[in-house]
Coordinates of all heavy atoms in Angstrom, one line a residue:
M26 N 120.8 149.7 100.9 CA 122.0 149.6 100.1 C 121.8 148.5 99.1 O 121.3 147.4 99.4 CB 123.2 149.3 101.0 CG 124.5 149.3 100.3 SD 125.3 150.8 99.8 CE 125.2 151.7 101.4
A27 N 122.1 148.7 97.9 CA 122.0 147.7 96.8 C 123.2 146.8 96.8 O 124.3 147.1 97.3 CB 122.0 148.4 95.5
A28 N 122.9 145.6 96.5 CA 124.0 144.5 96.4 C 123.9 143.9 95.0 O 122.8 143.5 94.5 CB 123.8 143.5 97.4
T29 N 125.0 143.8 94.3 CA 125.1 143.2 93.0 C 126.2 142.3 92.9 O 127.1 142.3 93.8 CB 125.3 144.3 91.9 OG1 126.5 144.9 92.1 CG2 124.2 145.3 91.9
A30 N 126.3 141.4 92.0 CA 127.4 140.5 91.9 C 128.7 141.2 91.7 O 129.7 140.8 92.2 CB 127.1 139.5 90.6
S31 N 128.7 142.2 90.9 CA 129.9 143.0 90.7 C 129.7 144.3 91.6 O 128.9 145.2 91.2 CB 130.1 143.4 89.3 OG 131.2 144.3 89.2
W32 N 130.4 144.5 92.7 CA 130.2 145.5 93.6 C 130.5 146.9 93.0 O 130.0 147.9 93.4 CB 131.1 145.3 94.9 CG 130.5 144.3 95.7 CD1 130.8 142.9 95.8 CD2 129.4 144.5 96.6 NE1 130.0 142.3 96.7 CE2 129.2 143.2 97.2 CE3 128.7 145.5 97.0 CZ2 128.1 143.0 98.2 CZ3 127.6 145.4 97.9 CH2 127.4 144.1 98.5
A33 N 131.4 146.9 92.0 CA 131.7 148.2 91.3 C 130.5 148.8 90.7 O 130.4 150.0 90.6 CB 132.8 148.0 90.3
R34 N 129.5 148.0 90.2 CA 128.4 148.6 89.6 C 127.5 149.5 90.5 O 126.9 150.4 90.1 CB 127.5 147.5 89.1 CG 128.0 146.6 88.0 CD 127.0 145.6 87.5 NE 127.7 144.6 86.7 CZ 127.1 143.4 86.5 NH1 126.0 143.1 86.9 NH2 127.8 142.6 85.8
R35 N 127.6 149.2 91.8 CA 126.8 150.0 92.7 C 127.4 151.3 93.1 O 126.7 152.2 93.7 CB 126.5 149.2 94.0 CG 127.7 149.0 94.9 CD 127.3 148.2 96.1 NE 128.5 147.8 96.9 CZ 129.1 148.6 97.7 NH1 128.6 149.9 98.0 NH2 130.2 148.2 98.3
F36 N 128.6 151.6 92.7 CA 129.3 152.8 93.0 C 128.6 154.0 92.5 O 128.7 155.1 93.0 CB 130.7 152.8 92.7 CG 131.6 152.3 93.9 CD1 131.8 151.0 94.1 CD2 132.0 153.2 94.8 CE1 132.5 150.5 95.2 CE2 132.7 152.8 95.9 CZ 133.0 151.4 96.1
R37 N 127.9 153.9 91.4 CA 127.3 155.1 90.8 C 126.1 155.5 91.8 O 125.6 156.6 91.7 CB 126.8 154.8 89.4 CG 125.7 153.7 89.4 CD 125.3 153.5 87.9 NE 124.6 152.2 87.8 CZ 125.1 151.1 87.3 NH1 126.3 151.0 86.9 NH2 124.3 150.0 87.3
W38 N 125.7 154.6 92.7 CA 124.6 155.0 93.6 C 125.2 155.5 95.0 O 124.5 156.1 95.8 CB 123.7 153.8 93.9 CG 123.1 153.2 92.7 CD1 122.5 153.9 91.7 CD2 122.9 151.8 92.5 NE1 122.0 153.0 90.8 CE2 122.3 151.7 91.2 CE3 123.3 150.7 93.2 CZ2 122.0 150.5 90.7 CZ3 123.0 149.4 92.6 CH2 122.4 149.3 91.3
E39 N 126.4 155.2 95.3 CA 127.0 155.4 96.6 C 126.9 156.8 97.0 O 126.6 157.1 98.2 CB 128.4 154.9 96.7 CG 128.6 153.4 96.7 CD 127.8 152.7 97.8 OE1 127.8 153.2 98.9 OE2 127.3 151.7 97.5
P40 N 127.2 157.8 96.3 CA 127.1 159.2 96.8 C 125.6 159.6 97.2 O 125.5 160.6 97.9 CB 127.6 160.1 95.6 CG 128.5 159.2 94.8 CD 127.8 157.8 94.9
G41 N 124.7 158.9 96.7 CA 123.3 159.2 97.0 C 122.9 159.1 98.5 O 122.2 159.9 99.0
W42 N 123.4 158.1 99.2 CA 123.1 157.9 100.5 C 123.7 159.1 101.4 O 122.9 159.7 102.2 CB 123.7 156.6 101.1 CG 123.0 155.4 100.5 CD1 123.5 154.6 99.4 CD2 121.7 154.8 100.8 NE1 122.6 153.7 99.1 CE2 121.5 153.7 100.0 CE3 120.8 155.2 101.8 CZ2 120.4 152.9 100.1 CZ3 119.7 154.4 101.9 CH2 119.5 153.3 101.0
P43 N 125.0 159.4 101.3 CA 125.4 160.4 102.2 C 124.9 161.8 101.7 O 124.7 162.7 102.5 CB 126.9 160.4 102.1 CG 127.2 159.6 100.9 CD 126.1 158.7 100.7
S44 N 124.6 162.0 100.5 CA 124.0 163.2 99.9 C 122.7 163.4 100.5 O 122.4 164.6 100.9 CB 124.0 163.2 98.4 OG 123.4 164.4 97.9
A45 N 121.9 162.4 100.6 CA 120.5 162.5 101.2 C 120.6 162.8 102.6 O 119.8 163.7 103.2 CB 119.7 161.2 101.0
D46 N 121.5 162.2 103.3 CA 121.7 162.4 104.8 C 122.1 163.9 105.0 O 121.6 164.6 105.9 CB 122.7 161.5 105.4 CG 122.7 161.6 106.9 OD1 121.6 161.4 107.5 OD2 123.8 161.9 107.4
K47 N 123.1 164.4 104.2 CA 123.6 165.8 104.4 C 122.4 166.7 104.1 O 122.2 167.7 104.8 CB 124.7 166.0 103.4 CG 125.4 167.4 103.5 CD 126.5 167.5 102.6 CE 127.1 168.9 102.7 NZ 128.3 169.1 101.8
Y48 N 121.7 166.5 103.0 CA 120.6 167.3 102.6 C 119.5 167.5 103.7 O 119.0 168.5 104.0 CB 119.9 166.8 101.4 CG 118.7 167.6 100.9 CD1 118.9 168.9 100.2 CD2 117.4 167.1 101.1 CE1 117.8 169.6 99.8 CE2 116.3 167.8 100.7 CZ 116.5 169.1 100.0 OH 115.4 169.8 99.6
K49 N 119.2 166.3 104.4 CA 118.2 166.3 105.4 C 118.7 166.8 106.8 O 118.0 166.9 107.8 CB 117.7 164.9 105.6 CG 116.9 164.4 104.4 CD 116.4 163.0 104.6 CE 115.6 162.5 103.4 NZ 115.2 161.1 103.5
G50 N 120.1 167.0 106.9 CA 120.7 167.4 108.1 C 120.7 166.3 109.2 O 120.7 166.6 110.4
G51 N 120.8 165.1 108.7 CA 120.9 163.9 109.6 C 122.1 163.8 110.5 O 122.1 163.2 111.5
G52 N 123.3 164.3 110.0 CA 124.5 164.2 110.8 C 125.1 162.8 110.8 O 126.0 162.6 111.5
G53 N 124.6 161.9 110.0 CA 125.2 160.6 109.9 C 126.4 160.5 109.0 O 126.8 161.4 108.3
V54 N 127.0 159.3 109.0 CA 128.2 159.0 108.1 C 127.9 157.7 107.4 O 127.5 156.7 108.1 CB 129.5 158.9 108.9 CG1 130.6 158.5 108.0 CG2 129.8 160.3 109.6
T55 N 128.1 157.6 106.2 CA 127.9 156.4 105.4 C 129.1 155.6 105.3 O 130.2 156.2 104.9 CB 127.3 156.7 104.0 OG1 126.1 157.4 104.1 CG2 127.1 155.5 103.2
L56 N 129.1 154.4 105.6 CA 130.3 153.5 105.5 C 130.1 152.6 104.2 O 129.0 152.0 104.1 CB 130.5 152.6 106.7 CG 130.6 153.3 108.0 CD1 130.7 152.3 109.1 CD2 131.9 154.2 108.0
T57 N 131.0 152.6 103.3 CA 130.9 151.9 102.1 C 132.0 150.9 102.0 O 133.2 151.3 102.0 CB 131.0 152.9 100.9 OG1 129.9 153.8 101.0 CG2 130.9 152.1 99.6
Y58 N 131.7 149.6 101.9 CA 132.7 148.6 101.7 C 132.8 148.1 100.3 O 131.7 148.0 99.7 CB 132.3 147.4 102.6 CG 132.4 147.7 104.1 CD1 131.3 148.3 104.8 CD2 133.5 147.4 104.8 CE1 131.3 148.6 106.1 CE2 133.5 147.6 106.2 CZ 132.4 148.2 106.8 OH 132.5 148.5 108.2
F59 N 134.0 147.9 99.8 CA 134.1 147.3 98.5 C 135.4 146.5 98.5 O 136.3 146.6 99.4 CB 134.2 148.4 97.4 CG 135.4 149.4 97.5 CD1 136.4 149.2 96.7 CD2 135.3 150.4 98.4 CE1 137.5 150.1 96.7 CE2 136.4 151.3 98.5 CZ 137.4 151.2 97.7
G60 N 135.5 145.7 97.5 CA 136.7 144.7 97.4 C 137.7 145.3 96.4 O 137.6 146.2 95.7
D61 N 138.9 144.6 96.4 CA 140.0 145.0 95.6 C 139.6 144.9 94.2 O 140.2 145.6 93.4 CB 141.2 144.2 95.9 CG 141.0 142.6 95.9 OD1 140.2 142.2 96.8 OD2 141.5 141.9 95.1
G62 N 138.8 144.0 93.7 CA 138.4 143.9 92.3 C 137.6 145.2 91.9 O 137.8 145.6 90.7
A63 N 136.8 145.7 92.8 CA 136.1 147.0 92.4 C 137.0 148.1 92.3 O 136.7 149.1 91.6 CB 135.0 147.2 93.4
A64 N 138.1 148.1 93.0 CA 139.1 149.2 92.9 C 139.6 149.5 91.6 O 140.2 150.6 91.3 CB 140.3 148.9 93.9
N65 N 139.5 148.6 90.6 CA 140.0 148.7 89.3 C 138.9 149.4 88.3 O 139.2 149.5 87.1 CB 140.5 147.4 88.6 CG 141.7 146.9 89.3 OD1 142.5 147.7 89.7 ND2 141.9 145.6 89.3
Q66 N 137.8 149.7 88.9 CA 136.7 150.2 88.0 C 136.6 151.7 88.1 O 136.8 152.3 89.2 CB 135.4 149.6 88.5 CG 135.4 148.1 88.5 CD 135.5 147.5 87.0 OE1 134.8 148.0 86.1 NE2 136.4 146.6 86.8
G67 N 136.2 152.3 87.0 CA 136.1 153.8 86.9 C 135.1 154.4 87.8 O 135.2 155.5 88.3
Q68 N 133.9 153.6 88.0 CA 132.9 154.1 88.8 C 133.3 154.4 90.3 O 132.8 155.3 90.9 CB 131.7 153.2 88.9 CG 131.1 152.9 87.6 CD 131.6 151.6 87.0 OE1 132.8 151.3 87.0 NE2 130.7 150.8 86.4
V69 N 134.3 153.6 90.7 CA 134.8 153.9 92.1 C 135.4 155.2 92.2 O 135.1 156.0 93.1 CB 135.8 152.7 92.4 CG1 136.4 153.0 93.8 CG2 135.1 151.4 92.5
Y70 N 136.3 155.6 91.2 CA 137.0 156.9 91.3 C 136.0 158.0 91.0 O 136.2 159.1 91.6 CB 138.1 156.9 90.4 CG 139.1 155.9 90.8 CD1 139.2 154.6 90.2 CD2 140.0 156.1 91.9 CE1 140.0 153.6 90.7 CE2 140.9 155.2 92.3 CZ 140.9 153.9 91.8 OH 141.7 153.0 92.2
E71 N 135.0 157.8 90.2 CA 134.0 158.9 90.1 C 133.3 159.1 91.3 O 132.9 160.3 91.7 CB 133.0 158.5 88.9 CG 133.6 158.4 87.6 CD 132.6 157.8 86.5 OE1 131.5 157.4 86.9 OE2 133.1 157.6 85.4
S72 N 133.0 158.1 92.1 CA 132.3 158.2 93.4 C 133.2 158.9 94.4 O 132.7 159.8 95.1 CB 131.9 156.8 93.9 OG 131.3 156.9 95.1
F73 N 134.5 158.6 94.4 CA 135.4 159.3 95.2 C 135.4 160.8 95.0 O 135.4 161.6 95.9 CB 136.8 158.8 95.1 CG 137.1 157.4 95.6 CD1 138.3 156.7 95.2 CD2 136.2 156.7 96.4 CE1 138.6 155.5 95.6 CE2 136.5 155.4 96.8 CZ 137.7 154.8 96.4
N74 N 135.5 161.1 93.7 CA 135.6 162.5 93.3 C 134.3 163.2 93.7 O 134.4 164.4 94.2 CB 135.8 162.6 91.8 CG 136.1 164.0 91.3 OD1 136.9 164.7 91.9 ND2 135.4 164.4 90.3
M75 N 133.2 162.6 93.4 CA 131.9 163.3 93.7 C 131.7 163.5 95.2 O 131.3 164.6 95.6 CB 130.7 162.4 93.2 CG 129.4 163.1 93.2 SD 128.1 162.1 92.5 CE 128.6 162.0 90.8
A76 N 132.1 162.5 96.0 CA 132.0 162.6 97.4 C 132.9 163.8 98.0 O 132.5 164.5 98.8 CB 132.4 161.4 98.1
E77 N 134.1 163.9 97.4 CA 135.0 165.0 97.8 C 134.5 166.4 97.3 O 134.5 167.3 98.1 CB 136.4 164.7 97.3 CG 137.4 165.8 97.7 CD 137.5 166.0 99.2 OE1 137.3 165.1 100.0 OE2 137.9 167.2 99.6
L78 N 134.0 166.5 96.1 CA 133.5 167.7 95.6 C 132.3 168.2 96.4 O 132.2 169.4 96.6 CB 133.1 167.6 94.1 CG 134.3 167.5 93.1 CD1 133.7 167.2 91.7 CD2 135.0 168.8 93.0
W79 N 131.5 167.3 96.8 CA 130.2 167.7 97.5 C 130.5 167.6 99.0 O 129.5 167.9 99.8 CB 129.1 166.8 97.1 CG 128.7 167.0 95.7 CD1 129.0 168.0 94.8 CD2 127.8 166.2 95.0 NE1 128.4 167.8 93.6 CE2 127.6 166.7 93.6 CE3 127.1 165.0 95.3 CZ2 126.8 166.1 92.7 CZ3 126.3 164.4 94.3 CH2 126.1 165.0 93.0
K80 N 131.7 167.3 99.5 CA 132.0 167.2 100.9 C 131.0 166.3 101.6 O 130.3 166.7 102.6 CB 132.0 168.6 101.6 CG 133.0 169.5 100.9 CD 134.4 169.1 101.0 CE 135.4 170.1 100.4 NZ 136.5 169.5 99.8
L81 N 130.8 165.1 101.1 CA 129.8 164.2 101.6 C 130.4 163.4 102.8 O 131.6 163.1 102.8 CB 129.3 163.2 100.5 CG 128.6 163.9 99.3 CD1 128.3 162.8 98.3 CD2 127.4 164.6 99.8
P82 N 129.5 163.1 103.8 CA 129.9 162.3 104.9 C 130.0 160.8 104.6 O 129.1 160.1 105.0 CB 128.8 162.6 106.0 CG 127.6 162.9 105.1 CD 128.1 163.5 103.9
V83 N 131.1 160.3 104.0 CA 131.2 158.9 103.6 C 132.6 158.5 103.9 O 133.6 159.2 103.7 CB 130.8 158.8 102.1 CG1 131.7 159.6 101.2 CG2 130.8 157.3 101.7
V84 N 132.7 157.2 104.3 CA 134.0 156.6 104.5 C 134.1 155.4 103.6 O 133.2 154.5 103.7 CB 134.2 156.2 106.0 CG1 135.5 155.4 106.2 CG2 134.1 157.4 106.9
Y85 N 135.1 155.2 102.7 CA 135.2 154.1 101.8 C 136.2 153.1 102.5 O 137.3 153.5 102.9 CB 135.7 154.5 100.5 CG 134.7 155.4 99.7 CD1 134.8 156.7 99.7 CD2 133.8 154.8 98.9 CE1 133.9 157.5 99.0 CE2 132.8 155.5 98.2 CZ 132.9 156.9 98.3 OH 132.0 157.7 97.6
I86 N 135.8 151.9 102.6 CA 136.6 150.8 103.2 C 136.8 149.7 102.2 O 135.9 149.1 101.7 CB 135.9 150.3 104.5 CG1 135.6 151.5 105.5 CG2 136.7 149.2 105.1 CD1 134.6 151.1 106.5
I87 N 138.1 149.4 101.9 CA 138.4 148.4 100.9 C 138.8 147.1 101.6 O 139.5 147.1 102.6 CB 139.5 148.8 100.0 CG1 139.7 147.8 98.9 CG2 140.8 149.1 100.8 CD1 140.6 148.3 97.8
E88 N 138.2 146.0 101.1 CA 138.6 144.6 101.6 C 139.4 144.0 100.5 O 138.9 143.7 99.5 CB 137.3 143.8 101.9 CG 137.6 142.4 102.3 CD 136.4 141.6 102.4 OE1 135.3 142.1 102.4 OE2 136.6 140.3 102.6
N89 N 140.7 143.7 100.9 CA 141.5 143.1 99.9 C 141.6 141.6 100.2 O 142.4 141.1 101.1 CB 142.9 143.7 100.0 CG 143.9 143.2 98.9 OD1 143.5 142.4 98.1 ND2 145.1 143.7 98.9
N90 N 140.8 140.8 99.5 CA 140.8 139.3 99.7 C 141.6 138.6 98.7 O 141.6 137.4 98.5 CB 139.4 138.8 99.7 CG 138.7 139.0 98.4 OD1 139.2 139.4 97.4 ND2 137.4 138.6 98.3
Q91 N 142.4 139.4 97.8 CA 143.3 138.9 96.8 C 142.7 138.4 95.6 O 143.3 137.9 94.7 CB 144.3 137.9 97.4 CG 145.1 138.3 98.6 CD 146.0 139.5 98.3 OE1 146.7 139.4 97.3 NE2 146.0 140.5 99.1
Y92 N 141.4 138.4 95.5 CA 140.6 137.9 94.3 C 139.5 138.9 93.9 O 138.8 139.5 94.7 CB 140.0 136.5 94.6 CG 141.1 135.5 94.5 CD1 141.8 135.1 95.7 CD2 141.4 134.8 93.3 CE1 142.8 134.1 95.6 CE2 142.4 133.9 93.3 CZ 143.1 133.5 94.4 OH 144.0 132.6 94.4
A93 N 139.3 139.0 92.6 CA 138.2 139.8 92.0 C 137.4 138.8 91.1 O 137.9 138.5 90.1 CB 138.8 140.9 91.2
M94 N 136.2 138.5 91.6 CA 135.3 137.6 90.8 C 136.1 136.3 90.4 O 135.9 135.9 89.2 CB 134.7 138.3 89.6 CG 133.9 139.5 90.0 SD 132.4 139.1 90.8 CE 131.4 138.4 89.5
G95 N 137.0 135.8 91.2 CA 137.7 134.5 90.9 C 139.0 134.7 90.2 O 139.7 133.8 90.0
T96 N 139.4 136.0 89.9 CA 140.7 136.3 89.3 C 141.7 136.9 90.4 O 141.3 137.8 91.0 CB 140.6 137.3 88.1 OG1 139.6 136.7 87.2 CG2 141.9 137.5 87.5
S97 N 142.8 136.3 90.5 CA 143.8 136.8 91.5 C 144.2 138.2 91.2 O 144.2 138.6 90.0 CB 145.0 135.9 91.6 OG 145.8 136.0 90.4
V98 N 144.5 138.9 92.3 CA 144.9 140.4 92.1 C 146.2 140.4 91.3 O 146.4 141.4 90.5 CB 145.1 141.0 93.5 CG1 146.3 140.5 94.2 CG2 145.1 142.5 93.3
E99 N 147.1 139.5 91.3 CA 148.3 139.5 90.5 C 148.0 139.4 89.0 O 148.7 140.0 88.2 CB 149.2 138.3 90.9 CG 149.9 138.4 92.2 CD 149.0 138.0 93.4 OE1 148.0 137.3 93.1 OE2 149.3 138.2 94.5
R100 N 146.9 138.8 88.6 CA 146.6 138.7 87.2 C 145.7 139.8 86.7 O 145.5 140.0 85.5 CB 145.8 137.4 87.0 CG 146.8 136.2 87.2 CD 146.1 134.9 86.9 NE 145.4 134.8 85.6 CZ 144.4 134.1 85.3 NH1 143.8 133.4 86.3 NH2 143.8 134.1 84.2
S101 N 145.1 140.6 87.7 CA 144.1 141.6 87.2 C 144.5 143.0 87.5 O 143.8 144.0 87.1 CB 142.7 141.4 87.9 OG 142.9 141.5 89.3
S102 N 145.7 143.2 88.2 CA 146.1 144.6 88.6 C 147.6 144.8 88.5 O 148.3 143.9 88.9 CB 145.6 144.9 90.0 OG 145.9 146.2 90.4
A103 N 148.0 145.9 88.0 CA 149.5 146.1 87.9 C 150.1 146.4 89.2 O 151.2 146.1 89.4 CB 149.7 147.4 87.0
E104 N 149.3 146.9 90.2 CA 149.7 147.1 91.5 C 149.0 146.2 92.5 O 147.8 146.3 92.5 CB 149.5 148.6 92.0 CG 149.9 149.0 93.3 CD 151.4 148.6 93.7 OE1 152.3 149.1 92.9 OE2 151.6 147.9 94.6
T105 N 149.7 145.4 93.2 CA 149.0 144.4 94.1 C 148.8 144.9 95.5 O 148.0 144.4 96.3 CB 149.8 143.1 94.1 OG1 151.1 143.4 94.6 CG2 149.7 142.5 92.8
A106 N 149.5 146.0 95.9 CA 149.3 146.6 97.2 C 148.1 147.6 97.2 O 148.2 148.7 96.8 CB 150.6 147.3 97.7
V107 N 147.0 147.1 97.7 CA 145.8 147.9 97.6 C 145.7 148.7 99.0 O 145.6 148.0 100.0 CB 144.5 147.1 97.3 CG1 143.3 148.0 97.3 CG2 144.7 146.3 96.1
L108 N 145.7 150.0 98.9 CA 145.6 150.7 100.2 C 144.3 151.5 100.4 O 143.7 151.9 99.4 CB 146.8 151.8 100.3 CG 148.2 151.2 100.1 CD1 149.2 152.2 100.0 CD2 148.5 150.2 101.3

């Protein structure tokens, strides 16, 4: 799994892991963790959509630490309740 300073950047790669596992018949499930700051990025929703379209074995887990790269969630998002 790749790690970058901005976690949202890696979301364009996220469907690759469960896709490869599904293709190989591995039967595994990929767990993907991301923060509330990444939830405001378009790549996240593209990844969600791709995973659903391809019925990929992936679980997305959000960690809401109230900050995105040093900016509070109140200053960076219209909705502060991240579910």
Side-chain angles (χ1 to χ4, degrees):
M26 183 80 48
T29 63
S31 175
W32 285 98
R34 290 184 200 164
R35 70 180 171 83
F36 266 88
R37 61 181 167 259
W38 304 317
E39 289 305 321
W42 293 99
S44 180
D46 190 58
K47 183 178 178 181
Y48 177 78
K49 293 178 181 178
V54 175
T55 300
L56 302 177
T57 300
Y58 294 84
F59 65 101
D61 50 296
N65 289 329
Q66 302 296 313
Q68 299 97 319
V69 173
Y70 296 98
E71 291 171 6
S72 178
F73 291 166
N74 189 50
M75 191 176 296
E77 180 58 28
L78 284 172
W79 294 348
K80 304 298 183 212
L81 298 177
V83 61
V84 176
Y85 292 94
I86 303 164
I87 186 168
E88 177 186 350
N89 187 359
N90 66 3
Q91 304 295 314
Y92 283 90
M94 299 291 290
T96 304
S97 70
V98 70
E99 289 85 12
R100 293 180 54 209
S101 62
S102 181
E104 178 57 55
T105 59
V107 182
L108 303 175

